[in-house]
Coordinates of all heavy atoms in Angstrom, one line a residue:
M1 N -23.3 5.3 47.8 CA -22.4 4.5 46.9 C -22.3 5.1 45.5 O -23.3 5.4 44.8 CB -23.1 3.1 46.8 CG -22.3 2.1 46.0 SD -23.0 0.5 46.1 CE -21.8 -0.4 46.9
S2 N -21.1 5.3 45.1 CA -20.8 6.0 43.9 C -20.8 5.0 42.7 O -20.6 3.8 42.9 CB -19.4 6.6 43.8 OG -18.4 5.7 44.0
E3 N -21.2 5.5 41.5 CA -21.3 4.6 40.3 C -19.9 4.4 39.8 O -19.1 5.3 39.8 CB -22.2 5.3 39.2 CG -23.7 5.2 39.6 CD -24.5 5.7 38.4 OE1 -24.1 5.3 37.3 OE2 -25.5 6.3 38.6
Q4 N -19.7 3.2 39.2 CA -18.5 2.9 38.5 C -18.5 3.5 37.2 O -19.5 3.7 36.5 CB -18.4 1.3 38.4 CG -18.2 0.6 39.6 CD -16.9 0.8 40.2 OE1 -15.9 1.0 39.6 NE2 -16.8 0.8 41.5
P5 N -17.3 4.0 36.7 CA -17.3 4.6 35.3 C -17.7 3.5 34.3 O -17.3 2.4 34.5 CB -15.9 5.1 35.2 CG -15.1 4.5 36.3 CD -16.1 4.0 37.3
R6 N -18.3 3.9 33.3 CA -18.6 3.0 32.2 C -17.8 3.2 31.0 O -17.5 4.4 30.6 CB -20.2 3.2 31.8 CG -21.0 2.8 33.0 CD -22.5 3.0 32.7 NE -23.2 2.9 33.9 CZ -24.4 2.3 34.0 NH1 -25.0 1.9 32.9 NH2 -25.0 2.2 35.1
I7 N -17.4 2.1 30.5 CA -16.6 2.2 29.2 C -17.3 1.5 28.1 O -17.9 0.4 28.3 CB -15.2 1.5 29.5 CG1 -14.5 2.3 30.6 CG2 -14.4 1.5 28.2 CD1 -13.2 1.5 31.1
A8 N -17.3 2.1 26.9 CA -17.9 1.5 25.8 C -16.9 1.3 24.7 O -16.0 2.2 24.5 CB -19.0 2.4 25.2
L9 N -17.0 0.3 24.0 CA -16.2 0.0 22.8 C -17.1 -0.1 21.6 O -18.0 -0.8 21.5 CB -15.4 -1.3 23.0 CG -14.6 -1.8 21.8 CD1 -13.5 -0.8 21.5 CD2 -14.1 -3.2 22.0
V10 N -16.7 0.8 20.6 CA -17.5 0.9 19.4 C -16.6 0.3 18.3 O -15.4 0.8 18.1 CB -18.0 2.3 19.1 CG1 -18.7 2.3 17.7 CG2 -18.8 2.8 20.2
D11 N -17.0 -0.6 17.5 CA -16.2 -1.2 16.4 C -17.0 -1.0 15.1 O -18.2 -1.4 15.0 CB -16.0 -2.7 16.6 CG -15.0 -3.2 15.6 OD1 -14.4 -2.5 14.8 OD2 -15.0 -4.5 15.5
A12 N -16.5 -0.2 14.2 CA -17.2 0.1 13.0 C -16.5 -0.8 11.8 O -15.3 -1.0 11.8 CB -17.0 1.5 12.6
N13 N -17.4 -1.4 11.0 CA -17.0 -2.2 9.8 C -16.2 -1.3 8.8 O -16.7 -0.2 8.4 CB -18.2 -2.9 9.2 CG -17.7 -3.9 8.2 OD1 -16.7 -4.5 8.4 ND2 -18.6 -4.2 7.3
N14 N -15.1 -1.7 8.4 CA -14.3 -1.0 7.3 C -14.1 0.5 7.8 O -14.2 1.4 7.0 CB -15.0 -1.0 6.0 CG -15.4 -2.4 5.6 OD1 -14.8 -3.4 5.9 ND2 -16.6 -2.4 4.9
F15 N -13.7 0.7 9.1 CA -13.7 2.0 9.7 C -13.1 3.1 8.9 O -13.8 4.1 8.6 CB -13.1 2.0 11.1 CG -13.3 3.3 11.8 CD1 -14.5 3.8 12.3 CD2 -12.2 4.2 11.9 CE1 -14.7 5.0 12.9 CE2 -12.3 5.4 12.5 CZ -13.5 5.8 13.0
Y16 N -11.9 3.0 8.5 CA -11.2 4.1 7.7 C -11.8 4.3 6.3 O -11.9 5.4 5.9 CB -9.7 3.8 7.6 CG -9.0 3.9 8.9 CD1 -8.3 2.8 9.5 CD2 -9.0 5.1 9.7 CE1 -7.7 2.9 10.7 CE2 -8.4 5.2 10.9 CZ -7.7 4.1 11.4 OH -7.1 4.2 12.6
V17 N -12.3 3.2 5.7 CA -12.9 3.3 4.4 C -14.3 4.1 4.7 O -14.6 5.0 3.9 CB -13.2 2.0 3.8 CG1 -14.2 2.1 2.6 CG2 -11.9 1.3 3.4
S18 N -15.0 3.7 5.7 CA -16.3 4.4 6.0 C -16.0 5.9 6.3 O -16.8 6.7 5.8 CB -17.0 3.8 7.2 OG -17.3 2.5 7.0
C19 N -14.9 6.2 7.0 CA -14.6 7.6 7.2 C -14.4 8.4 5.9 O -14.8 9.5 5.7 CB -13.4 7.8 8.1 SG -13.7 7.3 9.8
E20 N -13.6 7.8 5.0 CA -13.3 8.4 3.7 C -14.6 8.7 2.9 O -14.8 9.7 2.3 CB -12.3 7.6 2.9 CG -11.0 7.5 3.4 CD -10.2 8.8 3.4 OE1 -10.6 9.7 2.6 OE2 -9.2 9.0 4.1
R21 N -15.6 7.7 3.1 CA -16.8 7.8 2.3 C -17.7 8.9 2.9 O -18.6 9.4 2.1 CB -17.5 6.5 2.2 CG -16.8 5.5 1.3 CD -17.5 4.2 1.3 NE -17.0 3.3 0.2 CZ -17.3 2.0 0.1 NH1 -18.0 1.4 1.0 NH2 -16.8 1.3 -0.9
V22 N -17.6 9.2 4.1 CA -18.4 10.3 4.8 C -18.0 11.6 4.0 O -18.9 12.4 3.6 CB -18.1 10.5 6.2 CG1 -18.5 11.8 6.8 CG2 -18.7 9.3 7.0
F23 N -16.8 11.8 3.7 CA -16.4 13.1 3.0 C -16.4 13.0 1.5 O -16.3 14.0 0.8 CB -15.0 13.5 3.5 CG -14.9 13.7 5.0 CD1 -14.4 12.8 5.9 CD2 -15.5 14.9 5.5 CE1 -14.4 13.1 7.2 CE2 -15.5 15.1 6.9 CZ -14.9 14.3 7.8
R24 N -16.4 11.7 1.0 CA -16.4 11.5 -0.5 C -17.5 10.5 -0.8 O -17.2 9.3 -1.1 CB -15.1 11.0 -0.9 CG -13.9 11.9 -0.7 CD -13.6 12.6 -2.0 NE -13.7 12.0 -3.3 CZ -12.8 11.4 -3.9 NH1 -11.6 11.3 -3.4 NH2 -13.0 10.7 -5.0
P25 N -18.8 11.0 -0.7 CA -19.9 10.1 -1.1 C -19.8 9.4 -2.5 O -20.4 8.4 -2.8 CB -21.2 10.9 -1.0 CG -20.7 12.2 -0.4 CD -19.3 12.3 -0.4
D26 N -19.0 10.0 -3.4 CA -18.8 9.4 -4.7 C -18.1 8.1 -4.6 O -18.1 7.3 -5.6 CB -18.0 10.4 -5.6 CG -16.6 10.7 -5.1 OD1 -16.6 11.3 -4.0 OD2 -15.7 10.5 -5.8
L27 N -17.5 7.8 -3.5 CA -16.8 6.5 -3.3 C -17.7 5.4 -2.9 O -17.3 4.2 -2.9 CB -15.7 6.6 -2.3 CG -14.6 7.7 -2.6 CD1 -13.7 7.8 -1.3 CD2 -13.8 7.2 -3.7
N28 N -19.0 5.6 -2.6 CA -19.9 4.6 -2.3 C -20.0 3.6 -3.4 O -20.1 4.0 -4.6 CB -21.3 5.2 -1.9 CG -21.2 6.0 -0.6 OD1 -20.4 5.7 0.2 ND2 -22.2 6.8 -0.4
D29 N -20.1 2.3 -3.1 CA -20.2 1.3 -4.0 C -18.9 1.1 -5.0 O -19.1 0.5 -6.0 CB -21.4 1.4 -4.9 CG -22.7 1.4 -4.0 OD1 -22.8 0.6 -3.1 OD2 -23.6 2.2 -4.2
K30 N -17.9 1.8 -4.6 CA -16.6 1.6 -5.3 C -15.6 0.9 -4.5 O -15.6 1.0 -3.2 CB -16.1 2.9 -5.8 CG -16.9 3.7 -6.8 CD -16.2 4.9 -7.3 CE -17.2 5.5 -8.3 NZ -16.7 6.8 -8.7
P31 N -14.7 0.1 -5.0 CA -13.6 -0.5 -4.3 C -12.6 0.5 -3.7 O -12.1 1.3 -4.4 CB -13.0 -1.4 -5.2 CG -13.2 -0.9 -6.6 CD -14.5 -0.1 -6.4
V32 N -12.4 0.5 -2.3 CA -11.6 1.5 -1.7 C -10.7 0.7 -0.7 O -11.1 -0.2 0.0 CB -12.5 2.5 -0.9 CG1 -11.6 3.5 -0.1 CG2 -13.3 3.3 -1.8
M33 N -9.4 1.2 -0.7 CA -8.4 0.7 0.3 C -7.8 1.9 1.0 O -7.4 2.8 0.4 CB -7.4 -0.2 -0.3 CG -7.8 -1.5 -0.8 SD -6.5 -2.7 -1.3 CE -5.3 -1.8 -2.1
V34 N -7.5 1.7 2.3 CA -6.8 2.7 3.0 C -5.5 2.0 3.4 O -5.4 0.8 3.8 CB -7.5 3.2 4.3 CG1 -6.7 4.2 5.1 CG2 -8.8 3.9 3.9
L35 N -4.4 2.7 3.3 CA -3.1 2.2 3.5 C -2.4 2.6 4.8 O -2.8 3.7 5.4 CB -2.1 2.5 2.3 CG -2.6 2.1 1.0 CD1 -1.8 2.7 -0.2 CD2 -2.7 0.6 0.8
S36 N -1.4 1.9 5.3 CA -0.8 2.3 6.5 C 0.0 3.7 6.3 O 0.0 4.3 5.4 CB 0.3 1.2 6.8 OG 1.2 1.0 5.8
N37 N 0.6 4.1 7.5 CA 1.2 5.4 7.6 C 2.2 5.7 6.4 O 2.2 6.8 5.8 CB 2.0 5.5 8.8 CG 1.1 5.7 10.0 OD1 -0.1 5.9 9.9 ND2 1.6 5.5 11.2
N38 N 2.9 4.7 6.0 CA 3.9 4.9 4.9 C 3.4 4.3 3.6 O 4.2 4.1 2.7 CB 5.2 4.3 5.3 CG 5.9 5.0 6.4 OD1 5.8 6.2 6.6 ND2 6.5 4.2 7.3
D39 N 2.1 4.2 3.5 CA 1.4 3.6 2.3 C 2.0 2.3 1.9 O 2.0 1.9 0.7 CB 1.4 4.6 1.2 CG 0.6 5.8 1.4 OD1 -0.2 5.8 2.4 OD2 0.9 6.8 0.7
G40 N 2.4 1.5 2.9 CA 3.1 0.2 2.5 C 2.1 -1.0 2.6 O 2.2 -1.9 1.7
C41 N 1.2 -1.0 3.5 CA 0.3 -2.1 3.7 C -1.2 -1.7 3.7 O -1.5 -0.5 4.2 CB 0.6 -2.8 5.0 SG 2.3 -3.5 5.0
V42 N -2.1 -2.6 3.5 CA -3.5 -2.3 3.5 C -4.0 -2.4 5.0 O -3.7 -3.4 5.7 CB -4.3 -3.4 2.7 CG1 -5.8 -3.2 2.8 CG2 -3.8 -3.3 1.3
V43 N -4.7 -1.4 5.5 CA -5.2 -1.4 6.9 C -6.7 -1.3 6.9 O -7.3 -1.5 7.9 CB -4.6 -0.2 7.6 CG1 -3.1 -0.4 7.8 CG2 -4.9 1.2 7.1
A44 N -7.3 -1.0 5.8 CA -8.8 -1.0 5.7 C -9.2 -1.3 4.3 O -8.6 -0.8 3.4 CB -9.4 0.3 6.2
R45 N -10.3 -2.1 4.2 CA -10.8 -2.5 2.9 C -12.3 -2.4 2.8 O -13.0 -2.8 3.7 CB -10.4 -4.0 2.6 CG -9.0 -4.3 2.8 CD -8.7 -5.7 3.0 NE -9.3 -6.1 4.3 CZ -9.7 -7.3 4.6 NH1 -9.7 -8.3 3.7 NH2 -10.2 -7.6 5.8
S46 N -12.8 -1.9 1.7 CA -14.2 -1.9 1.4 C -14.7 -3.4 1.2 O -13.8 -4.2 0.9 CB -14.6 -1.0 0.3 OG -14.1 -1.5 -1.0
Q47 N -16.0 -3.6 1.2 CA -16.4 -5.0 0.9 C -16.1 -5.4 -0.5 O -15.7 -6.6 -0.7 CB -17.9 -5.1 1.1 CG -18.5 -6.5 1.0 CD -17.9 -7.4 2.1 OE1 -17.9 -7.1 3.3 NE2 -17.4 -8.5 1.6
Q48 N -16.1 -4.4 -1.4 CA -15.7 -4.8 -2.8 C -14.3 -5.3 -2.9 O -14.0 -6.2 -3.7 CB -15.9 -3.6 -3.7 CG -17.3 -3.1 -3.9 CD -17.7 -2.1 -2.8 OE1 -17.0 -1.9 -1.8 NE2 -18.9 -1.5 -3.0
V49 N -13.4 -4.7 -2.1 CA -12.0 -5.2 -2.0 C -11.9 -6.5 -1.4 O -11.1 -7.4 -1.9 CB -11.1 -4.1 -1.4 CG1 -9.7 -4.6 -1.2 CG2 -11.0 -2.8 -2.2
K50 N -12.6 -6.7 -0.3 CA -12.6 -8.0 0.3 C -13.0 -9.1 -0.6 O -12.5 -10.2 -0.6 CB -13.5 -8.0 1.6 CG -13.0 -7.0 2.7 CD -13.9 -7.1 3.8 CE -13.6 -6.1 4.9 NZ -14.5 -6.1 6.1
D51 N -14.0 -8.8 -1.4 CA -14.6 -9.7 -2.3 C -13.6 -10.2 -3.4 O -13.7 -11.2 -4.0 CB -15.9 -9.3 -3.0 CG -17.1 -9.1 -2.0 OD1 -17.0 -9.7 -0.9 OD2 -18.0 -8.4 -2.4
L52 N -12.6 -9.3 -3.6 CA -11.5 -9.6 -4.6 C -10.4 -10.5 -3.9 O -9.5 -11.0 -4.6 CB -10.9 -8.3 -5.1 CG -11.7 -7.4 -6.0 CD1 -11.0 -6.1 -6.2 CD2 -12.1 -8.1 -7.2
G53 N -10.6 -10.8 -2.6 CA -9.7 -11.6 -1.9 C -8.4 -10.9 -1.4 O -7.5 -11.6 -1.0
I54 N -8.4 -9.6 -1.4 CA -7.3 -8.9 -0.8 C -7.4 -8.9 0.7 O -8.4 -8.5 1.3 CB -7.2 -7.5 -1.3 CG1 -7.0 -7.5 -2.9 CG2 -6.2 -6.6 -0.6 CD1 -7.1 -6.1 -3.5
K55 N -6.3 -9.4 1.4 CA -6.3 -9.5 2.8 C -5.8 -8.3 3.5 O -5.1 -7.5 3.0 CB -5.4 -10.7 3.1 CG -5.8 -12.0 2.5 CD -7.1 -12.6 3.0 CE -7.4 -13.9 2.4 NZ -8.7 -14.3 2.6
M56 N -6.2 -8.2 4.8 CA -5.7 -7.1 5.7 C -4.2 -7.3 5.9 O -3.7 -8.4 6.1 CB -6.4 -7.2 7.0 CG -6.1 -6.1 8.0 SD -6.6 -4.6 7.4 CE -8.3 -4.6 8.0
G57 N -3.5 -6.2 5.9 CA -2.1 -6.2 6.1 C -1.2 -6.6 5.0 O 0.1 -6.5 5.1
V58 N -1.8 -6.9 3.8 CA -0.9 -7.2 2.7 C -0.2 -6.0 2.2 O -0.7 -5.0 2.1 CB -1.8 -7.9 1.5 CG1 -2.7 -6.9 0.9 CG2 -1.0 -8.6 0.5
P59 N 1.1 -6.3 1.8 CA 1.8 -5.1 1.2 C 1.1 -4.7 -0.2 O 0.8 -5.5 -1.0 CB 3.3 -5.7 0.9 CG 3.3 -6.8 1.9 CD 1.9 -7.4 1.9
L60 N 1.1 -3.4 -0.4 CA 0.5 -2.9 -1.6 C 1.1 -3.4 -2.9 O 0.5 -3.7 -3.8 CB 0.5 -1.3 -1.6 CG 0.1 -0.6 -2.8 CD1 -1.5 -0.9 -3.0 CD2 0.2 0.9 -2.7
F61 N 2.5 -3.5 -2.9 CA 3.1 -4.0 -4.1 C 2.6 -5.4 -4.6 O 2.7 -5.7 -5.7 CB 4.7 -4.0 -4.0 CG 5.2 -5.1 -3.1 CD1 5.6 -6.3 -3.7 CD2 5.4 -4.9 -1.8 CE1 6.2 -7.3 -3.0 CE2 6.0 -5.9 -1.1 CZ 6.4 -7.1 -1.7
Q62 N 2.2 -6.2 -3.6 CA 1.7 -7.5 -3.9 C 0.4 -7.5 -4.6 O 0.0 -8.6 -5.2 CB 1.7 -8.4 -2.6 CG 3.1 -8.8 -2.1 CD 3.0 -9.7 -0.9 OE1 1.9 -10.0 -0.4 NE2 4.2 -10.0 -0.4
V63 N -0.4 -6.5 -4.5 CA -1.7 -6.5 -5.0 C -1.9 -5.3 -6.0 O -3.0 -5.0 -6.4 CB -2.9 -6.3 -3.9 CG1 -2.9 -7.6 -3.1 CG2 -2.7 -5.1 -3.0
Q64 N -0.8 -4.6 -6.4 CA -0.9 -3.5 -7.2 C -1.6 -3.9 -8.6 O -2.3 -3.0 -9.1 CB 0.5 -2.9 -7.6 CG 0.5 -1.6 -8.3 CD -0.2 -0.5 -7.6 OE1 0.3 -0.1 -6.5 NE2 -1.1 0.2 -8.1
H65 N -1.4 -5.0 -9.1 CA -2.0 -5.5 -10.3 C -3.6 -5.5 -10.2 O -4.3 -5.1 -11.1 CB -1.5 -6.8 -10.7 CG -1.9 -7.9 -9.8 ND1 -1.3 -8.1 -8.6 CD2 -2.8 -8.9 -9.9 CE1 -1.8 -9.2 -8.0 NE2 -2.7 -9.7 -8.8
L66 N -4.1 -5.9 -9.0 CA -5.5 -5.8 -8.7 C -6.0 -4.4 -8.6 O -7.1 -4.0 -9.0 CB -5.9 -6.6 -7.5 CG -5.6 -8.1 -7.6 CD1 -5.8 -8.8 -6.2 CD2 -6.6 -8.7 -8.6
V67 N -5.2 -3.5 -8.0 CA -5.6 -2.1 -7.8 C -5.8 -1.6 -9.3 O -6.8 -0.9 -9.5 CB -4.5 -1.4 -7.1 CG1 -4.7 0.2 -7.1 CG2 -4.5 -1.8 -5.6
N68 N -4.9 -1.8 -10.1 CA -4.9 -1.3 -11.5 C -6.2 -1.9 -12.2 O -6.9 -1.2 -13.0 CB -3.7 -1.5 -12.3 CG -2.5 -0.8 -11.6 OD1 -2.7 0.1 -10.9 ND2 -1.3 -1.3 -11.9
Q69 N -6.3 -3.2 -12.2 CA -7.3 -4.0 -12.9 C -8.7 -3.5 -12.5 O -9.6 -3.4 -13.3 CB -7.1 -5.4 -12.7 CG -8.1 -6.3 -13.4 CD -7.8 -7.8 -13.2 OE1 -6.9 -8.2 -12.5 NE2 -8.7 -8.6 -13.7
H70 N -8.9 -3.3 -11.2 CA -10.3 -3.1 -10.7 C -10.5 -1.6 -10.3 O -11.5 -1.3 -9.6 CB -10.5 -4.0 -9.5 CG -10.6 -5.4 -9.9 ND1 -11.6 -6.0 -10.5 CD2 -9.6 -6.4 -9.7 CE1 -11.3 -7.3 -10.8 NE2 -10.1 -7.5 -10.3
Q71 N -9.6 -0.8 -10.6 CA -9.6 0.7 -10.3 C -10.0 1.0 -8.9 O -10.9 1.8 -8.5 CB -10.6 1.4 -11.2 CG -10.3 1.3 -12.7 CD -11.2 1.8 -13.6 OE1 -12.5 1.9 -13.3 NE2 -10.8 2.3 -14.8
I72 N -9.2 0.3 -8.0 CA -9.4 0.5 -6.5 C -8.9 1.8 -6.2 O -7.8 2.2 -6.5 CB -8.6 -0.7 -5.8 CG1 -9.2 -2.0 -6.1 CG2 -8.7 -0.4 -4.3 CD1 -8.5 -3.2 -5.5
Q73 N -9.7 2.6 -5.4 CA -9.3 3.9 -4.9 C -8.4 3.8 -3.7 O -8.8 3.0 -2.8 CB -10.6 4.7 -4.6 CG -11.5 4.8 -5.7 CD -11.0 5.6 -6.9 OE1 -10.5 6.7 -6.7 NE2 -11.0 5.0 -8.1
L74 N -7.2 4.4 -3.7 CA -6.3 4.3 -2.6 C -6.2 5.5 -1.8 O -6.2 6.6 -2.4 CB -4.9 3.9 -3.1 CG -4.7 2.6 -3.8 CD1 -3.3 2.5 -4.4 CD2 -5.0 1.4 -3.0
F75 N -6.1 5.4 -0.5 CA -6.0 6.5 0.4 C -4.9 6.2 1.5 O -4.8 5.1 1.9 CB -7.3 6.9 1.1 CG -8.4 7.4 0.2 CD1 -9.2 6.5 -0.5 CD2 -8.5 8.7 -0.1 CE1 -10.1 6.9 -1.4 CE2 -9.4 9.2 -1.0 CZ -10.3 8.3 -1.6
S76 N -4.2 7.3 1.9 CA -3.3 7.1 3.0 C -4.2 7.2 4.3 O -5.2 7.8 4.3 CB -2.3 8.3 3.0 OG -1.5 8.2 1.9
S77 N -3.6 6.7 5.3 CA -4.3 6.8 6.6 C -4.5 8.2 7.0 O -3.5 8.9 6.8 CB -3.6 6.1 7.7 OG -2.9 5.0 7.4
N78 N -5.6 8.6 7.6 CA -5.8 10.0 7.9 C -6.5 10.0 9.3 O -7.6 9.7 9.5 CB -6.7 10.7 6.9 CG -7.0 12.1 7.3 OD1 -6.6 12.6 8.4 ND2 -7.8 12.8 6.4
Y79 N -5.6 10.1 10.3 CA -6.1 10.0 11.7 C -6.8 11.2 12.2 O -7.4 11.2 13.3 CB -4.9 9.6 12.6 CG -4.3 8.3 12.2 CD1 -3.0 8.3 11.6 CD2 -4.9 7.1 12.2 CE1 -2.4 7.1 11.2 CE2 -4.4 5.9 11.8 CZ -3.1 5.9 11.3 OH -2.5 4.7 10.8
T80 N -6.6 12.3 11.5 CA -7.4 13.5 12.0 C -8.8 13.5 11.6 O -9.7 13.9 12.2 CB -6.7 14.8 11.4 OG1 -6.8 14.7 10.0 CG2 -5.3 15.1 11.9

């Protein structure tokens, strides 16, 4: 009897932010947001950003004042 293939699903908290922090440890403990392909909407938020009340998928222009006020670090999505 052959074994069935196994599939695993891994979900990481703040995944794209975590990836940026791997390459930029200076971002640890700083507010970080990753934006969609065209930098229009928020697709990942650090805990610091979540604590400010910024929601997933919100257009950047709606929260630009918070970005400026809290010096949130912005990154474009980087799928590589």
